[in-house]
Amino acid sequence: MDRSAIDYLNYLEDSDPYFYHNFKEFIVYASGLNKGLKDEEYDDLKNSKESDYNVTLRDKRTTVNIVKNFFYKISPNIIRQIDFDMQNNNIVFLPKEQMGKVLSRITLKDGNYKIEVVDSSKIEESYLLVREYARLFSGNILDATEIDKGLRKVYLEVIISLTEFALAKHLATNKSLMNDSRNYINKKLYDSIYNMNDSYMTLIYLGYLLEGKTNEEIVRLLGKQEIVDKLSYIIKNKKPCNDYIYTLGTMFALRIANNCDNIYDVVNTFYIKASSMHYQYFLSNISLELNQNESVEEITYYIRNNK
């Protein structure tokens, strides 16, 4: 048995107990999502993924006003924070080359924060800005030390993703932006299903190592030496498996979005509970069951009801 596989398992157990104790179920879940979606829904998501946004926003104030009009439905108090940030240049739009691999982030310097968003002049800007405000309002959940760090991150992503689904509902009646808004959400769903290969393939590769398979056998099973080399690098250098957080957060949020009467009230409640680190509320109100068939049904329902 490859010693690096054992070392990596020990690393996972120490660094992310939630993922470590559930990774076998995650393999089944990820595979089921990938295989379970019907051709019609897959084509809708794939077409959105490959398409560009059509509408160019007039200016950055338009981007911010979209966000303010949306957050008014969540809590009017949020508007004051956004106005403060605009007045103090806390919202910054940067070219893609300056953002690196991320599309948005919150940076801290000398106790002050800035929300940085990739400059595109498309509806994506508003969604990314909403994501970072949701992170800002809910980030205290990461300090709830009574639950595993990985689980805290999943809950935070649930809140952030649910905020995006709420923005999509808000924009569903905006004739000029509704199609681009739908495309953003479809891209999000596509990525949550098909861009989790690092975690999924790392776990598959780890399983092969634990079974004692040779490099030649693994190459034959995975198709290319380049894939094996990449996975070997992840294992030997103890790189984290983080993309499951986005996948689970999106899928759990989608379930809530499909089954709540007032998504804006739910988002506001989540902000309040997260800011007070009321982790027990999330444990009681967000099902963490990894049911790939149910998730496929939720994706299908959402796509067919938002065309």
Side-chain angles (χ1 to χ4, degrees), residues 157-169:
E157 184 56 46
V158 170
I159 300 170
I160 292 171
S161 291
L162 187 65
T163 307
E164 290 179 294
F165 287 122
L167 176 57
K169 182 176 180 63

Side-chain angles (χ1 to χ4, degrees), residues 141 144 146-147 155 273 277-286:
I141 193 67
E146 299 90 338
I147 53 179
Y155 281 142
K273 298 299 183 181
M277 291 182 285
H278 192 173
Y279 76 94
Q280 189 61 50
Y281 175 85
F282 295 100
L283 288 173
S284 301
N285 287 276
I286 299 177

Side-chain angles (χ1 to χ4, degrees), residues 243-278:
D243 48 3
Y244 80 92
I245 294 168
Y246 184 75
T247 297
L248 297 189
T250 299
M251 290 301 119
F252 296 155
L254 178 63
R255 181 193 302 155
I256 297 168
N258 282 341
N259 295 281
C260 66
D261 294 328
N262 189 324
I263 193 170
Y264 309 114
D265 284 349
V266 175
V267 170
N268 188 44
T269 299
F270 278 11
Y271 289 170
I272 294 170
K273 298 299 183 181
S275 64
S276 61
M277 291 182 285
H278 192 173

Side-chain angles (χ1 to χ4, degrees), residues 98-278:
Q98 287 185 238
M99 293 293 291
K101 294 183 179 181
V102 300
L103 297 177
S104 63
R105 63 192 173 203
I106 297 175
T107 60
L108 294 173
K109 185 177 180 181
D110 300 327
N112 297 316
Y113 71 84
K114 286 192 181 297
I115 300 176
E116 298 176 341
V117 174
V118 69
D119 188 346
S120 67
S121 297
K122 303 294 184 179
I123 193 59
E124 179 183 44
E125 287 183 344
S126 293
Y127 270 100
L128 294 172
L129 191 53
V130 159
R131 275 190 67 86
E132 296 311 319
Y133 270 112
R135 190 187 313 280
L136 194 66
F137 301 140
S138 307
N140 280 359
I141 193 67
L142 295 179
D143 297 324
T145 55
E146 299 90 338
I147 53 179
D148 289 342
K149 183 178 180 181
L151 182 53
R152 283 177 257 159
K153 289 183 177 180
V154 170
Y155 281 142
L156 178 58
E157 184 56 46
V158 170
I159 300 170
I160 292 171
S161 291
L162 187 65
T163 307
E164 290 179 294
F165 287 122
L167 176 57
K169 182 176 180 63
H170 169 71
L171 292 174
T173 57
N174 186 314
K175 292 183 179 180
S176 63
L177 294 174
M178 60 188 301
N179 288 329
D180 280 354
S181 174
R182 185 185 302 115
N183 269 354
Y184 177 90
I185 293 295
N186 283 352
K187 290 172 191 281
K188 175 183 177 65
L189 292 174
Y190 183 93
D191 287 343
S192 69
I193 300 169
Y194 299 106
N195 283 11
M196 54 188 173
N197 280 342
D198 279 355
S199 290
Y200 178 66
M201 294 301 294
T202 299
L203 295 175
I204 295 296
Y205 177 66
L206 183 64
Y208 290 155
L209 292 179
L210 293 171
E211 292 170 7
K213 294 188 184 300
T214 66
N215 183 77
E216 290 74 19
E217 290 176 309
I218 297 175
V219 170
R220 188 169 63 252
L221 287 165
L222 297 182
K224 292 181 180 180
Q225 181 66 52
E226 291 83 355
I227 296 175
V228 176
D229 290 342
K230 177 183 178 182
L231 297 173
S232 177
Y233 176 83
I234 292 173
I235 295 291
K236 290 179 179 178
N237 290 275
K238 297 182 176 64
K239 298 297 182 181
C241 290
N242 284 335
D243 48 3
Y244 80 92
I245 294 168
Y246 184 75
T247 297
L248 297 189
T250 299
M251 290 301 119
F252 296 155
L254 178 63
R255 181 193 302 155
I256 297 168
N258 282 341
N259 295 281
C260 66
D261 294 328
N262 189 324
I263 193 170
Y264 309 114
D265 284 349
V266 175
V267 170
N268 188 44
T269 299
F270 278 11
Y271 289 170
I272 294 170
K273 298 299 183 181
S275 64
S276 61
M277 291 182 285
H278 192 173

Side-chain angles (χ1 to χ4, degrees), residues 84-96:
F84 174 86
D85 288 336
M86 284 292 288
Q87 292 166 9
N88 289 275
N89 298 313
N90 291 338
I91 300 174
V92 183
F93 296 90
L94 297 173
K96 189 171 180 61

